[in-house]
Amino acid sequence: MTLNWKIGGLALGFVFFLAVLLVKPIGVSTQFVIFDGILWNAVDSSVVTQADDGSYTSTNAYLAKSGGKYAKNIANPLNYSFIFALAMVIGGAASAYLRGGIGTDERNMPAIWRANFGDSVIKRYAVAFAAGFVVLYGARLAGGCTSGHMMSGMMQTALSGYIFTAGAFAAAIPTAIILFRKEA
Amino acid sequence: MTSILLALIIGGAFGVVLDRTGAANPTLIGKMLNLTNLHLAKTILLAIGTGSVLMFGGQMLGLVDVAHMSVKSAYIGVFVGGLLLGLGWAASGFCPGTSLVGAAAGRKDAWTFIGGGLLGAAAYMATYPGSKDMGLLDKVGGGKVTLGTVPGAKYEGLTMIPGDILGIALGAVFIIVAFMLPERLMKKADVVPAE
């Protein structure tokens, strides 16, 4: 089911190359901010505003930073990066469907979690929710995630990519060793 | 319109490979991070190496536009944020990109991860001025720098080493490490088998 690492690694590397060849390096976590902004601006249309010269800004300092580029993407959701994230969902869904899906047990929780913490879906969902909060808070503080910093960053020999990766594994490896003592 | 089409093609392909390599399966992420099965680590190392060699090789041949590079800034918050991401990545088995693919495959816990993620991103939007005031966003090592100096790039190099040659050399190192890494580092005895 899972691709051999030699084929999978080449395929994954080729997609990262294709992105930088044709457009720009891959990154995902910014789109969580853009989606938040789209929702927020839908409720309160004063959040993102356009000036007379066509530039965008926001009442939120984070959305207004870097010349209002986040504000601009919130006002125009049909932009490359946001559609890219939506296309990932389509590609992931099609790929999983074509290999026959993941089964009911896996839909509820991954095997490694069940082996270590039992069948409670509430417990699993609560941890996944809290982890999502910490991951995206961290990714936004870092200015990127596993895609943008670790993969695209180290591929471009960016200093920031190496700093991020050191931090991510320094926390992730001890956490996983402590949490997952039973093999799935 | 071209950019939307490219987003659909490249984003779609990225979703497919994340699914097929197992990167969006929390069990495989957990086994990589507790060092009991490094298959996925080999995949990731080979991918970074392949991308690096192709990109810098393409630049040297004049086939890849150097201006397409996008180097992020280095600051203390990159490390702190990395620690936070690592903690949540290990606990859940998801990162921002793979949560989208996991959710697409029907993983309900990936959807709750995304819900938490949207709240976490909103929390950062609210507290951004605070991180700035604390100095977490102050540049280190020159900010947006590459390890070598890439010819024609708008980014400065940390060293004077030609950045494209260094990029290919480091790419080769990633590929070699991918091949040399053992299947597992943690001995079986260290891990209690499941019932």
Side-chain angles (χ1 to χ4, degrees), chain A residues 115-140:
Chain A
N116 285 276
F117 300 103
D119 280 328
S120 165
V121 286
I122 300 298
K123 195 156 73 171
R124 171 62 185 169
Y125 292 173
V127 171
F129 186 87
F133 184 98
V134 175
V135 165
L136 264 299
Y137 191 94
R140 286 298 85 214

Side-chain angles (χ1 to χ4, degrees), chain B residues 122-189:
Chain B
Y124 187 71
M125 278 160 60
T127 56
Y128 165 72
S131 333
K132 207 171 177 178
D133 293 343
M134 278 167 69
L136 280 172
L137 308 184
D138 296 348
K139 284 192 278 184
V140 294
K144 294 185 177 185
V145 297
T146 48
L147 300 181
T149 305
V150 181
K154 59 183 171 180
Y155 306 104
E156 283 183 38
L158 198 61
T159 65
M160 294 299 289
I161 302 169
D164 44 4
I165 296 171
L166 182 64
I168 291 176
L170 287 173
V173 170
F174 275 100
I175 294 170
I176 292 166
V177 174
F179 276 88
M180 287 176 59
L181 207 62
E183 280 292 324
R184 64 188 294 156
L185 282 171
M186 192 71 92
K187 288 198 297 282
K188 261 214 169 75

Side-chain angles (χ1 to χ4, degrees), chain B residues 67-82:
Chain B
H68 281 188
M69 284 179 78
S70 177
V71 172
K72 294 173 186 286
S73 188
Y75 47 86
I76 304 294
V78 173
F79 188 76
V80 180

Side-chain angles (χ1 to χ4, degrees), chain B residues 7-84:
Chain B
L8 287 170
I9 294 167
I10 305 169
F14 189 41
V16 171
V17 289
L18 284 180
D19 177 67
R20 292 297 168 106
T21 53
N25 180 350
T27 298
L28 296 181
I29 295 286
K31 287 179 173 181
M32 168 177 76
L33 294 174
N34 76 3
L35 310 178
T36 56
N37 184 340
L38 301 181
H39 186 265
L40 192 54
K42 286 168 166 282
T43 305
I44 294 170
L45 287 162
L46 179 60
I48 295 172
T50 302
S52 209
V53 168
L54 288 175
M55 186 189 78
F56 285 113
Q59 285 182 4
M60 290 176 85
L61 295 171
L63 301 171
V64 177
D65 190 349
V66 181
H68 281 188
M69 284 179 78
S70 177
V71 172
K72 294 173 186 286
S73 188
Y75 47 86
I76 304 294
V78 173
F79 188 76
V80 180
L83 288 173
L84 290 172

Side-chain angles (χ1 to χ4, degrees), chain B residues 105-122:
Chain B
R107 294 184 182 277
K108 294 177 202 161
D109 51 345
W111 287 105
T112 63
F113 177 97
I114 292 170
L118 289 170
L119 199 63

Side-chain angles (χ1 to χ4, degrees), chain A residues 22-182:
Chain A
L22 299 174
V23 190
K24 62 176 183 177
I26 290 175
V28 179
S29 67
T30 307
Q31 303 319 309
F32 280 73
V33 171
I34 302 301
F35 190 67
D36 275 338
I38 291 169
L39 294 179
W40 191 12
N41 200 44
V43 178
D44 176 4
S45 61
S46 67
V47 172
V48 170
T49 49
Q50 190 174 20
D52 291 337
D53 64 357
S55 68
Y56 288 89
T57 190
S58 172
T59 50
N60 178 272
Y62 189 60
L63 299 182
K65 85 178 182 94
S66 308
K69 65 176 180 184
Y70 292 167
K72 186 182 174 192
N73 284 352
I74 289 164
N76 306 285
L78 279 179
N79 63 76
Y80 174 81
S81 298
F82 194 67
I83 298 298
F84 183 96
L86 295 182
M88 285 174 68
V89 178
I90 298 169
S95 171
Y97 177 78
L98 289 174
R99 66 180 166 85
I102 59 169
T104 314
D105 285 353
E106 276 292 298
R107 282 171 182 268
N108 286 328
M109 68 183 75
I112 197 169
W113 182 271
R114 184 174 278 111
N116 285 276
F117 300 103
D119 280 328
S120 165
V121 286
I122 300 298
K123 195 156 73 171
R124 171 62 185 169
Y125 292 173
V127 171
F129 186 87
F133 184 98
V134 175
V135 165
L136 264 299
Y137 191 94
R140 286 298 85 214
L141 172 59
C145 61
T146 331
S147 303
H149 263 314
M150 191 183 293
M151 306 281 302
S152 300
M154 290 205 293
M155 168 184 141
Q156 297 178 92
T157 70
L159 174 64
S160 53
Y162 282 85
I163 295 174
F164 175 85
T165 304
F169 281 105
I173 291 175
T175 305
I177 289 175
I178 292 164
L179 284 180
F180 306 120
R181 305 186 73 84
K182 291 180 188 168

